[in-house]
Amino acid sequence: MNEYAAPGVPEAEAEAEALPTEASGPKPFAHVNAVNAGQYRRIMSAFVVAKRRFTVHLRPEDVRDYLVDSGATAPDLETVVDALGRLQAWGNLRSDPDTSRVSTIEEFHRARYLFQLTREGEAAEDALAAYEEALGRRGALQAAALGDIVVQLRALVELAAVPDPDAARVHLSLDQLTSRFTDLADNAQAFMSSLQRTIDLRDAEVDAFLAYKDRLIEYLERFIKDLVATGAEIAGLVIALQELGVERLLDIAASRVSADAAPGEDADGPNREFVRQRLLWADRWVGFRGWFLSEPGRASQASLLRTQARAAVPRLLAVVSTLNDRRAGRSDRSADFRTLALWFAQAPDDASLHRLWRSAFGLHSSRHLTIDAETLDARQTSPVRPTTSWTAAPPITISPRLRETGHYERRGKPNNVIDRSERKRFLAERAAVEAAQTAAARETLAAKVGASCRLSDLGALEPQEFGLFLRLLGDALSAKTPGKGTVETTTSDGSLAVSLHQLDGDQIAEIYTDAGVFRGPDQLLRITDLSVSRSEAV
């Protein structure tokens, strides 16, 4: 029998499975689908743990001790040796002669080996670990990662402001920023996917789901609050870093990484490695910037994540409502139809079936016809089959009014038409007065502002003027983006152009109105009446 054949496996099958040809090369994933896959996976985990503890080689006795310590069924040493040989044939392990414990010639001639992971075996274990981790990952909304990203961005802004920044600090900050951001994005995606699966779950324990619901909603609300507050700061730091020249920092990081590239036969290798690293860092920065900054026609990923998190709360509450309805005993339509089908199956005769059909679905005969007792007696004596054509069936006497008007009851005279011309005229006059007041307020406010005016210099405003001022201020502030001190916009009707410039300092502007005092940061305001400009141009 082949020395690598596993117990219970035919020798020919084991030999074909254990010894790949040179043309096929290593098969490091073959043990996953082998007969004793569980045993092979446990043995490979022993080598992974040993490598993590900086142990290079393992003897068969060490592997068996690990299996015993891990709680698995203790195999005999011969079985472990056979499994190690099979893994070596697949390319997962490499064996070296073990001569450290040889004290006699007989022991020297006896086969003793030390086993260690090959590159293929280590790569296969890393891939399997990543696969299992991805399947079991629930993800998380890492609010702490947002704070770490802010710290790294502040460090990069300080480095970008220096003419000759330290290359090691630049590379370290960019590397930590990339690592933290990757964790944030991956975990957020995994969490939203698991959250959707949780929301779609219908067979969960009601009490457990309700308790989980309270914690989940609190968790979502806390993350949304942190994302709104910290996301705006991150966006401002990204804009500042763009203005200071982030490309210079990316060049420094790419140069530092490419300098450690191993020499090769290609003389242009270092330059090619620099170009590759530079493109890699540029792609990372574009992805990071697009995650926190919106562009025209494309919302940022942070905004989409915030929208999904907010939308998950009402969907979660809808699931709770469904569970409460189910617990309260309400039945759904499918349960009603199953009960109705049971009633149909238990009906004693056809007459009961028809009566149940009419009661359940309301598909009665025509209700707009009325017959008298004489006609009913005639039908009782001489019934007419339902399949009889209306041309061959005896006639039915109906009311003449039904034939003439289509109704039994006599209709009264129609309601008088209400004359609403007076109300329409009143509304038109009121609209004209309001339009005139708005035009006067627009002219007065534009005259007060002039070419430009500080908000603190506006003084007192009439109600119409103050209402127009609030609308203009709201349009300007809604169009303002982070990092910009000046914003220019127009009203929805295109009649006014508004420019708002943020002033330095902490001065507070006060505007007095009949309703009270309006206070806010002092800014420079300019209002242009576009309707007047167009009329002068004509």
Side-chain angles (χ1 to χ4, degrees):
M1 183 175 180
N2 188 288
E3 62 173 331
Y4 293 149
V9 180
E11 180 177 357
E13 179 183 352
E15 183 177 0
E17 187 180 44
L19 299 175
T21 61
E22 294 184 359
S24 62
K27 296 182 179 180
F29 292 98
H31 67 287
V32 177
N33 297 320
V35 177
N36 298 321
Q39 177 176 295
Y40 295 136
R41 294 289 294 125
R42 289 190 293 271
I43 290 176
M44 291 300 297
S45 67
F47 285 90
V48 173
V49 173
K51 181 176 178 58
R52 191 162 58 238
R53 296 174 180 174
F54 306 102
T55 302
V56 180
H57 297 88
L58 288 180
R59 298 183 177 89
E61 295 85 351
D62 300 332
V63 176
R64 185 187 58 182
D65 294 341
Y66 172 83
L67 296 179
V68 173
D69 295 339
S70 62
T73 303
D76 54 38
L77 187 59
E78 183 180 357
T79 303
V80 174
V81 172
D82 290 341
L84 291 173
R86 189 78 63 85
L87 289 169
Q88 178 186 354
W90 282 322
N92 299 80
L93 301 176
R94 192 191 76 186
S95 64
D96 297 312
D98 181 12
T99 58
S100 60
R101 297 177 298 169
V102 174
S103 58
T104 63
I105 298 178
E106 290 78 7
E107 290 180 352
F108 180 81
H109 289 288
R110 187 182 306 164
R112 294 177 181 272
Y113 294 99
L114 294 173
F115 294 89
Q116 71 178 58
L117 283 173
T118 61
R119 289 191 307 169
E120 294 81 2
E122 183 177 355
E125 290 304 309
D126 292 341
L128 292 173
Y131 175 76
E132 293 174 353
E133 180 183 0
L135 288 182
R137 186 197 310 175
R138 292 192 57 193
L141 298 177
Q142 297 175 317
L146 296 172
D148 296 342
I149 290 174
V150 170
V151 172
Q152 298 302 328
L153 284 175
R154 289 174 180 171
L156 288 173
V157 169
E158 294 178 359
L159 291 171
V162 178
D164 188 16
D166 183 72
R169 291 183 58 193
V170 170
H171 181 212
L172 183 61
S173 298
L174 283 174
D175 189 63
Q176 292 179 351
L177 176 65
T178 302
S179 176
R180 208 69 179 103
F181 169 69
T182 303
D183 291 341
L184 172 66
D186 293 344
N187 278 279
Q189 181 180 4
F191 177 81
M192 295 310 297
S193 299
S194 63
L195 176 61
Q196 186 60 45
R197 290 194 296 270
T198 302
I199 292 175
D200 294 339
L201 188 62
R202 293 295 184 268
D203 298 328
E205 293 292 335
V206 177
D207 295 334
F209 186 83
L210 293 179
Y212 169 72
K213 175 264 302 181
D214 296 332
R215 298 194 304 271
L216 180 60
I217 291 179
E218 181 182 358
Y219 182 74
L220 290 173
E221 290 177 347
R222 185 173 66 251
F223 176 76
I224 292 172
K225 180 180 178 181
D226 293 339
L227 184 60
V228 171
T230 313
E233 184 178 1
I234 292 176
L237 291 172
V238 170
I239 294 175
L241 198 55
Q242 287 282 132
E243 294 175 352
L244 291 173
V246 69
E247 291 79 7
R248 184 165 59 97
L249 301 182
L250 300 181
D251 291 339
I252 293 174
S255 298
R256 191 168 188 268
V257 176
S258 60
D260 293 334
E265 297 180 357
D266 189 0
D268 197 38
N271 294 332
R272 185 176 294 106
E273 180 65 17
F274 171 78
V275 173
R276 190 182 71 85
Q277 290 294 332
R278 182 61 176 82
L279 291 176
L280 179 61
W281 282 110
D283 290 340
R284 291 171 177 171
W285 177 254
V286 169
F288 177 78
R289 184 183 60 194
W291 219 85
F292 291 99
L293 288 182
S294 300
E295 296 180 358
R298 186 190 63 80
S300 65
Q301 293 298 318
S303 300
L304 296 178
L305 178 61
R306 186 168 62 248
T307 302
Q308 292 179 359
R310 286 174 175 170
V313 175
R315 292 202 304 268
L316 190 64
L317 295 178
V319 174
V320 173
S321 178
T322 302
L323 292 176
N324 286 331
D325 292 342
R326 183 184 304 172
R327 186 166 57 176
R330 292 180 54 184
S331 60
D332 54 10
R333 182 170 297 180
S334 60
D336 294 339
F337 280 130
R338 286 193 295 268
T339 303
L340 186 60
L342 181 61
W343 290 352
F344 273 107
Q346 295 175 350
D349 49 31
D350 289 345
S352 300
L353 289 173
H354 288 293
R355 186 165 60 252
L356 179 60
W357 171 268
R358 290 192 296 271
S359 301
F361 300 103
L363 300 179
H364 305 279
S365 57
S366 299
R367 299 180 180 182
H368 64 277
L369 297 178
T370 301
I371 56 178
D372 51 16
E374 183 178 352
T375 307
L376 289 176
D377 294 340
R379 286 298 178 88
Q380 189 69 25
T381 305
S382 303
V384 180
R385 297 177 59 85
T387 57
T388 304
S389 172
W390 66 271
T391 58
I396 296 179
T397 303
I398 63 175
S399 170
R401 180 175 288 115
L402 177 63
R403 180 179 179 183
E404 294 174 0
T405 64
H407 301 277
Y408 288 111
E409 299 82 3
R410 180 179 179 182
R411 291 183 175 181
K413 66 177 182 178
N415 297 329
N416 296 329
V417 178
I418 301 177
D419 185 8
R420 303 185 185 274
S421 58
E422 186 66 25
R423 296 185 180 181
K424 291 181 179 180
R425 184 169 58 253
F426 171 76
L427 293 177
E429 293 175 355
R430 185 171 180 177
V433 171
E434 292 179 355
Q437 292 176 350
T438 303
R442 182 170 62 242
E443 294 176 0
T444 304
L445 187 60
K448 285 186 176 182
V449 174
S452 62
C453 175
R454 300 169 69 103
L455 297 184
S456 56
D457 297 335
L458 288 178
L461 295 179
E462 297 296 331
Q464 292 291 337
E465 299 172 0
F466 184 65
L468 177 61
F469 166 75
L470 287 181
R471 290 195 295 271
L472 296 178
L473 185 62
D475 293 340
L477 292 178
S478 62
K480 190 174 181 180
T481 57
K484 288 189 176 181
T486 303
V487 59
E488 296 182 355
T489 185
T490 57
T491 56
S492 58
D493 58 357
S495 60
L496 294 176
V498 184
S499 175
L500 195 65
H501 177 71
Q502 184 176 354
L503 298 176
D504 297 333
D506 299 331
Q507 184 176 354
I508 301 299
E510 294 185 350
I511 301 175
Y512 296 89
T513 66
D514 295 342
V517 181
F518 175 82
R519 295 183 178 88
D522 196 8
Q523 303 192 44
L524 191 64
L525 176 67
R526 185 175 71 251
I527 301 177
T528 305
D529 194 342
L530 299 179
S531 60
V532 175
S533 302
R534 286 194 293 266
S535 62
E536 292 178 353
V538 174

